[in-house]
């Protein structure tokens, strides 16, 4: 049981190097915090969007009583007061500023969208009212009605910014509703009755999938961050093994009866414990800063299991790196060079396009893809063993293959007599 | 059965165009202390790394107990490297236990052996101290203890006295002798200290620039260049060294006179009685003697005789 002696030795070394251990655990927490604060509010339902209104409307006189009215102010008021359906949350945080100021704020994403109400907005609303009066009193003359003044409202924003996309969608809806309401109210006024809303034949409703009502982008990203931390373990493992080569302690072990498997399997045990600790710590941090966790204690146990398997894959990767790196700095650099792109490839930060190889999504050949999918399934969506068993099986299979490669390469490059 | 425990047959080691070891052939007898003497960079460490299987020779063969390295029982060799190679965050006891486990030493034997080693090498009080908190000398001694925890038949010590204070060196030398005398081990020792090679080794291999220059017992080596004492003379005007050497060479009973790094090195039988005569001849030439010393013939003189230079530090 030589691997057990190696495991005990590595564990003691890890725990006694307090500072090193602190950094291993702290670094991923920093990442989690940064991503938590960056994406924590994004995508959550019922969040007010920041809207700047630039109102150039000069007003117009109403047709029946000749009273001066500014429909631009009216629209601004309506947007200020508009709320989400069945909710007390406003749709927009409205600010009224100049166009140049608004443009500036768009660039810094201080505001999500800018609505420019043109000079002739009131005039065009009045024209709409006039034509509605005419068509209500004399339907035949409607087509050849008096002046048809149209005005263009500009919704300006950064089309690459997701918040603008959402704000714009809501604004278009509100404006269409505004026009409809003007028509209905005018019709009612002319007829002298409050009248009923027209019967609605088609309606739509946006519905989040079960359990995701309060989701933010962070809920999707948090498991990605856990996997990223697990991936970074490869760098630490590689550096620590390379240090053993550099210091000569490996040469000592190499002359003994120890085999590559003893060294690597033994080394894997304490590092797996680190992976488990990372999953738990990162999970707690994520929940503390707003991760909507579902699935209860069971899901945490499953997450730790999944995390440890992913961790072993990272350890194997670290061993492969250590088979080639000449010193611990090289190991750290090579490790970063491999783990960061891998984190992108498995979709830890954002979803990747669907590219198939041999009928599989290309990143399904990487064990961490399955770690990530399983973590999302259990932590974010509250799935049980059934939901993750396929991912776990694939993860185990790929990890075993990676570990076998690691043992082969490390033994060949590091445990034989040097040339 | 082989009469030699280790035999190298014309081993050569090249590193990127540089030949570190050049056709080394030697035999180490069972139960002897075998010294490799040579300056730093002579190829001593490279040679022993090939002899223990850490390094593959570019050509040639190493036989352990008459068999190719490949079939060697790993437990039969223990190596104490030149550098301190320890796990800083383990204690002395834990380090010994780890290496014992790696050599599959049974638990009860391992415990006894570790205790004895800690005792022999004066580390008993530090048994539970973390390696990083040990002094340099203690680390050196633990470095040695780790090499012998599995009780190997062959113990290889690479520059064991490097960085040791005189007291630790005495402990070490005593221990090396006891390895041979009490336990019947074969000890291979590399050193650039002729004193160490002289006092400890049964036989000494003198190597420089990767080549074996001589292999014999210290006494035979010293006899080979002749008995006698060595007088070292420094004159105030080093430019006239050759002139003085010519005069001294003509003197009776002078075995050799050479210039070594600006100092005149004279070897003569019973030099003490000849000192007045030597000084007189030098001063006749109107040369002032700045320094003069006399000592017994050492292995260093053998080295000087062989290479014309001192052992490089």
């Amino acid at each position: 049981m030589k691997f057990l002696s190696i495991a005990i030795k590595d564990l003691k070394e890890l725990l006694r190097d307090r500072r090193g251990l602190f950094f291993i655990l702290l670094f991923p927490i920093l990442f989690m915090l940064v991503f938590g604060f960056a994406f924590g509010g994004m995508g959550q339902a019922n969040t007010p969007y920041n809207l700047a209104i630039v109102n150039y409307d000069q007003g117009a006189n109403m047709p029946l009583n000749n009273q001066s009215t500014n429909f631009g102010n009216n629209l601004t008021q309506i947007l200020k007061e508009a709320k989400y359906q069945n909710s007390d949350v406003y749709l927009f945080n409205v600010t009224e500023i100049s166009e140049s100021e608004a443009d500036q704020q768009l660039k810094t994403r201080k505001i999500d969208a800018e609505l420019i109400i043109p000079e002739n907005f009131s005039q065009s609303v009045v024209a709409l009212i006039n034509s509605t009066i005419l068509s209500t009193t004399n339907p035949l003359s409607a087509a050849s009605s008096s002046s048809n003044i149209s005005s263009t409202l500009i919704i300006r924003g950064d089309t690459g910014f997701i918040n603008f996309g959402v704000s714009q969608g809501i604004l278009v809806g509100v404006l269409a509703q505004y026009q409809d309401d003007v028509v209905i109210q005018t019709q009612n006024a002319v007829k002298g009755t409050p009248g009923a809303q027209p019967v609605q034949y088609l309606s739509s409703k946006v519905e989040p999938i079960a359990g995701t009502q309060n989701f933010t982008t962070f809920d999707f990203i948090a498991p990605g961050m856990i996997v990223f931390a697990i991936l970074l373990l490869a760098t630490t493992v590689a550096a620590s093994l390379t240090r053993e080569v550099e210091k000569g302690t490996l040469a000592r072990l190499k002359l003994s009866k120890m085999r590559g498997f003893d060294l690597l399997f033994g080394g894997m045990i304490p590092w797996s414990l680190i992976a488990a600790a990372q999953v738990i710590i990162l999970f707690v941090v994520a929940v503390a800063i707003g991760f909507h966790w579902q699935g209860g204690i069971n899901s945490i146990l499953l997450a730790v299991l999944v995390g440890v398997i992913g961790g072993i894959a990272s350890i194997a990767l670290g061993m492969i790196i250590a088979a080639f790196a000449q010193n611990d700095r090289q190991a750290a650099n090579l490790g970063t060079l491999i783990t960061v792109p891998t984190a992108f490839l498995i979709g830890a930060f954002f979803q990747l396009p669907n590219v198939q190889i041999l009928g599989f999504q290309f990143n399904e050949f990487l064990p961490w893809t399955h770690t990530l999918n399983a973590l999302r399934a259990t932590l974010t969506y509250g799935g049980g063993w059934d939901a993750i068993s396929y991912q776990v099986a694939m993860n185990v299979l790929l990890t075993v293959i990676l570990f076998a490669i690691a043992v082969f390469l490390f033994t060949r490059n590091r445990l034989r007599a040097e040339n | 059965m082989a009469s030699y425990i280790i035999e190298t047959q014309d081993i050569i080691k090249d590193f990127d165009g540089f030949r570190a070891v050049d056709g080394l052939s030697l035999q180490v007898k069972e139960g002897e202390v075998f010294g490799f003497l040579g300056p730093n960079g002579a190829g001593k460490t490279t040679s022993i790394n090939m002899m223990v299987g850490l390094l593959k020779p570019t050509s040639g063969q190493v036989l352990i107990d008459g068999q190719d390295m490949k079939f060697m029982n790993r437990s039969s060799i223990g190596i104490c490297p030149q550098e301190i190679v320890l796990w800083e965050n383990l204690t002395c006891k834990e380090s010994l236990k780890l290496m014992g486990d790696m050599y599959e030493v049974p638990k009860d034997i391992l415990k006894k052996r570790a205790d004895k080693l800690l005792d022999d090498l004066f580390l008993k009080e530090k048994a539970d101290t973390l390696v990083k908190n040990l002094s340099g000398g203690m680390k050196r001694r633990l470095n040695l203890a780790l090499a012998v925890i599995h009780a190997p038949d062959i113990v290889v010590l690479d520059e064991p006295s490097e960085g040791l204070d005189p007291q630790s060196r005495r402990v070490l030398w005593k221990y090396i002798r006891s390895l041979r005398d009490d336990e019947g081990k074969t000890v291979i020792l590399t050193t650039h200290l002729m004193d160490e090679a002289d006092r400890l080794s049964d036989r000494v291999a003198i190597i420089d620039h990767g080549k074996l220059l001589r292999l014999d017992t210290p006494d035979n080596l010293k006899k080979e260049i002749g008995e006698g004492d060595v007088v070292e003379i420094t004159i105030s005007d080093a430019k006239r060294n050759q002139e003085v050497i010519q005069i001294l060479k003509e003197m009776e009973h002078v075995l050799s006179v050479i210039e070594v790094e600006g100092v005149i090195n004279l070897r003569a039988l019973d030099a003490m009685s000849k000192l007045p005569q030597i000084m007189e001849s030098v001063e006749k030439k109107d040369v002032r003697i700045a320094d003069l010393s006399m000592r017994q013939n050492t292995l260093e003189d053998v080295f000087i005789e062989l290479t014309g230079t001192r052992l490089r530090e």
Side-chain angles (χ1 to χ4, degrees):
Chain A
M1 303 296 257
K2 288 191 282 291
F3 76 88
L4 265 184
S5 301
I6 294 281
I8 293 167
K9 168 217 148 219
D10 282 350
L11 187 65
K12 280 178 180 164
E13 286 193 296
L14 261 173
L15 295 178
R16 285 173 187 170
D17 179 13
R18 296 270 162 82
R19 199 174 300 173
L21 187 64
F22 179 72
F23 284 120
I24 292 171
L25 297 176
L26 181 82
F27 189 53
I29 293 178
L30 285 179
F31 264 92
M32 183 64 95
L33 287 175
V34 168
F35 275 79
F37 289 121
F39 297 107
M42 200 187 274
Q44 196 168 24
N46 302 350
T47 314
Y49 289 90
N50 297 318
L51 175 70
I53 296 181
V54 181
N55 189 1
Y56 289 123
D57 188 17
Q58 301 199 331
N61 290 333
M62 286 294 277
L64 296 175
N65 53 18
N66 221 17
Q67 224 176 351
S68 165
T69 314
N70 187 317
F71 281 97
N73 289 344
N74 176 253
L75 177 62
T76 305
Q77 200 54 37
I78 287 172
L79 285 170
K80 276 183 181 169
E81 288 166 7
K83 287 178 178 170
Y84 282 98
Q85 247 179 348
N86 309 323
S87 165
D88 283 334
V89 181
Y90 289 107
L91 284 173
F92 296 106
N93 287 325
V94 176
T95 49
E96 289 176 79
I97 47 177
S98 73
E99 190 174 347
S100 61
E101 259 182 290
D103 286 353
Q104 197 54 43
Q105 292 194 6
L106 273 181
K107 285 179 193 161
T108 56
R109 294 193 173 176
K110 230 173 172 177
I111 52 169
D112 300 318
E114 172 187 353
L115 177 69
I116 302 171
I117 304 173
E119 279 180 20
N120 60 353
F121 179 64
S122 289
Q123 285 173 27
S124 62
V125 175
V126 167
L128 172 69
I129 293 172
N130 277 333
S131 103
T132 309
I133 294 170
L134 271 176
S135 64
T136 312
T137 51
N138 184 4
L140 292 174
S141 69
S144 60
S145 73
S146 59
S147 55
N148 182 7
I149 304 167
S150 69
S151 62
T152 310
L153 288 134
I154 298 171
I155 302 169
R156 190 178 284 168
D158 174 355
T159 49
F161 184 29
I162 186 162
N163 284 13
F164 173 68
V166 180
S167 312
Q168 166 217 267
I170 299 175
L171 274 175
V172 169
V174 171
L175 293 176
Q177 182 75 39
Y178 185 77
Q179 184 166 343
D180 289 350
D181 284 353
V182 168
V183 171
I184 292 163
Q185 278 184 21
T186 312
Q187 284 171 342
N188 289 343
V190 171
K191 285 176 184 163
T193 57
Q197 290 274 334
V199 180
Q200 213 175 352
Y201 289 101
L202 292 173
S203 72
S204 60
K205 188 180 167 200
V206 177
E207 194 179 85
I209 60 165
T212 68
Q213 288 88 340
N214 297 315
F215 269 22
T216 65
T217 308
F218 181 56
D219 290 297
F220 195 70
I221 282 183
M225 295 314 297
I226 296 181
V227 178
F228 180 50
I230 287 171
L231 253 170
L232 279 181
L233 266 187
T235 304
T236 324
V237 171
S240 127
L241 265 175
T242 314
R243 221 166 302 146
E244 192 114 42
V245 176
E246 262 189 292
K247 280 176 65 187
T249 41
L250 189 73
R252 246 194 213 296
L253 295 171
K254 186 160 128 175
L255 284 170
S256 73
K257 290 185 172 175
M258 183 202 74
R259 292 284 168 275
F261 175 80
D262 298 318
L263 178 75
L264 301 184
F265 191 73
M268 194 192 77
I269 295 170
W271 286 108
S272 307
L273 295 177
I274 296 279
Q278 272 187 340
V279 172
I280 294 169
I281 294 171
L282 287 176
F283 172 72
V284 170
V285 172
V287 170
I289 58 172
F291 177 68
H292 298 94
W293 153 53
Q294 307 188 61
I297 296 296
N298 191 34
S299 74
I300 300 181
L301 294 177
L302 288 178
V304 171
L305 171 76
V306 169
V308 167
I309 299 167
I312 295 173
S314 300
I315 296 161
L317 178 64
M319 289 162 177
I320 293 174
I321 294 168
F324 296 98
Q326 297 298 323
N327 52 51
D328 66 337
R329 211 186 54 213
Q330 246 183 42
N333 289 342
L334 191 58
T336 313
L337 203 68
I338 293 172
T339 51
V340 174
T342 306
F344 277 99
L345 279 181
I346 60 165
F349 306 114
F350 45 77
Q351 207 59 35
L352 289 162
N354 190 16
V355 179
Q356 302 272 323
I357 297 172
L358 305 173
F360 287 96
Q361 168 78 353
F362 73 101
N363 61 10
E364 282 192 49
F365 294 103
L366 295 167
W368 305 279
T369 304
H370 302 284
T371 313
L372 180 57
N373 290 343
L375 280 184
R376 276 203 184 122
T378 186
L379 288 179
T380 308
Y381 298 110
W385 174 250
D386 293 345
I388 62 166
S389 53
Y390 166 75
Q391 304 288 359
V392 172
M394 282 302 283
N395 205 351
V396 168
L397 177 71
L398 292 169
T399 300
V400 168
I401 294 172
L402 201 63
F403 189 74
I405 295 172
V407 172
F408 169 74
L409 287 175
F410 195 87
T411 307
R412 194 194 64 177
N413 291 5
R414 295 284 181 223
L415 295 179
R416 302 236 174 107
E418 283 171 40
N419 274 315
Chain B
M1 199 59 216
S3 52
Y4 300 111
I5 195 153
I6 297 185
E7 186 172 356
T8 69
Q9 297 176 338
D10 200 22
I11 50 172
I12 289 176
K13 185 69 199 174
D14 290 328
F15 292 113
D16 294 328
F18 164 70
R19 184 153 288 184
V21 174
D22 190 2
L24 187 71
S25 295
L26 51 80
Q27 295 93 18
V28 180
K29 292 177 195 160
E30 194 172 350
E32 72 172 342
V33 175
F34 186 94
F36 264 107
L37 179 68
N40 289 337
K44 301 185 299 271
T45 302
T46 309
S47 302
I48 61 164
N49 278 348
M50 287 190 282
M51 288 160 78
V52 299
L54 274 174
L55 203 60
K56 263 188 206 156
T58 308
S59 69
Q61 203 185 11
V62 177
L63 301 178
I64 306 283
D65 225 356
Q67 282 188 313
D68 192 272
M69 290 267 359
K70 277 182 277 189
F71 310 107
M72 173 186 77
N73 173 9
R74 281 166 181 260
S75 295
S76 65
I77 291 188
I79 177 164
C80 173
Q82 188 173 343
E83 303 81 25
I84 294 177
V85 173
L86 301 168
W87 292 275
E88 295 278 315
N89 278 315
L90 296 186
T91 67
C92 297
K93 218 180 220 172
E94 287 167 351
S95 306
L96 286 168
K97 184 178 178 309
L98 172 69
M99 284 316 295
D101 285 345
M102 291 305 105
Y103 280 105
E104 299 172 358
V105 180
K107 286 230 163 352
D108 47 338
I109 297 177
L110 177 58
K111 195 182 172 317
K112 275 184 210 153
R113 213 179 270 167
D115 287 343
K116 184 171 184 310
L117 272 172
L118 289 170
D119 205 21
D120 287 351
L121 294 166
F122 298 97
L123 286 169
K124 204 171 185 177
E125 283 171 19
K126 300 286 178 184
D128 295 315
T129 305
L130 289 183
V131 168
K132 63 180 171 191
N133 297 329
L134 296 179
S135 72
M138 291 171 186
K139 283 183 183 174
R140 287 252 158 227
R141 280 178 265 150
L142 180 63
N143 209 29
L144 171 63
L146 290 184
V148 294
I149 185 68
H150 56 292
D153 297 329
I154 305 165
V155 182
V156 180
L157 308 168
D158 195 0
E159 303 275 0
S161 295
E162 187 77 20
L164 280 190
D165 57 75
Q167 193 192 350
S168 295
R169 195 170 291 179
R170 267 196 297 278
V171 172
L172 175 80
W173 285 1
K174 188 170 163 232
Y175 183 73
I176 292 174
R177 284 196 195 98
S178 79
L179 279 177
R180 174 193 59 192
D181 300 339
D182 306 339
E183 300 179 41
K185 310 281 188 205
T186 305
V187 180
I188 298 174
L189 180 82
T190 81
T191 181
H192 63 274
L193 306 170
M194 61 270 160
D195 189 27
E196 186 167 71
D198 201 349
R199 286 178 189 220
L200 290 175
S201 313
D202 295 313
R203 290 193 306 149
V204 174
I206 297 180
I207 66 170
D208 194 22
H209 300 299
K211 282 193 169 146
L212 178 67
L213 303 178
R214 281 288 186 286
L215 169 58
D216 213 329
T217 63
D219 283 346
N220 282 348
L221 285 169
K222 281 184 275 184
K223 266 185 207 151
E224 192 182 319
I225 60 161
E227 302 272 339
D229 310 313
V230 175
V231 180
E232 287 177 323
I233 308 162
T234 312
I235 56 171
S236 52
D237 184 7
K239 283 178 199 151
R240 301 183 64 187
N241 275 352
Q242 287 307 318
E243 200 184 318
V244 174
I245 288 170
Q246 281 309 317
I247 300 165
L248 295 174
K249 269 187 178 168
E250 287 159 16
M251 284 176 64
E252 224 178 316
H253 304 298
V254 168
L255 299 171
S256 79
V257 192
I258 53 169
E259 183 183 341
V260 182
E261 291 160 17
V263 178
I264 298 167
N265 183 299
L266 177 145
R267 219 154 28 75
L269 285 171
D270 191 18
M272 182 68 105
S273 64
K274 294 186 183 61
L275 268 184
Q277 206 186 331
I278 291 170
M279 289 170 76
E280 194 184 337
S281 337
V282 173
E283 278 166 1
K284 252 188 208 166
K285 275 277 162 190
D286 216 12
V287 172
R288 202 166 63 78
I289 294 174
D291 190 26
L292 186 142
S293 65
M294 200 184 77
R295 56 178 173 75
Q296 288 221 310
N297 197 350
T298 67
L299 278 180
E300 172 138 32
D301 300 305
V302 179
F303 190 81
I304 290 169
E305 181 77 14
L306 290 170
T307 65
T309 58
R310 287 179 186 280
L311 278 166
R312 297 183 294 271
E313 280 296 320

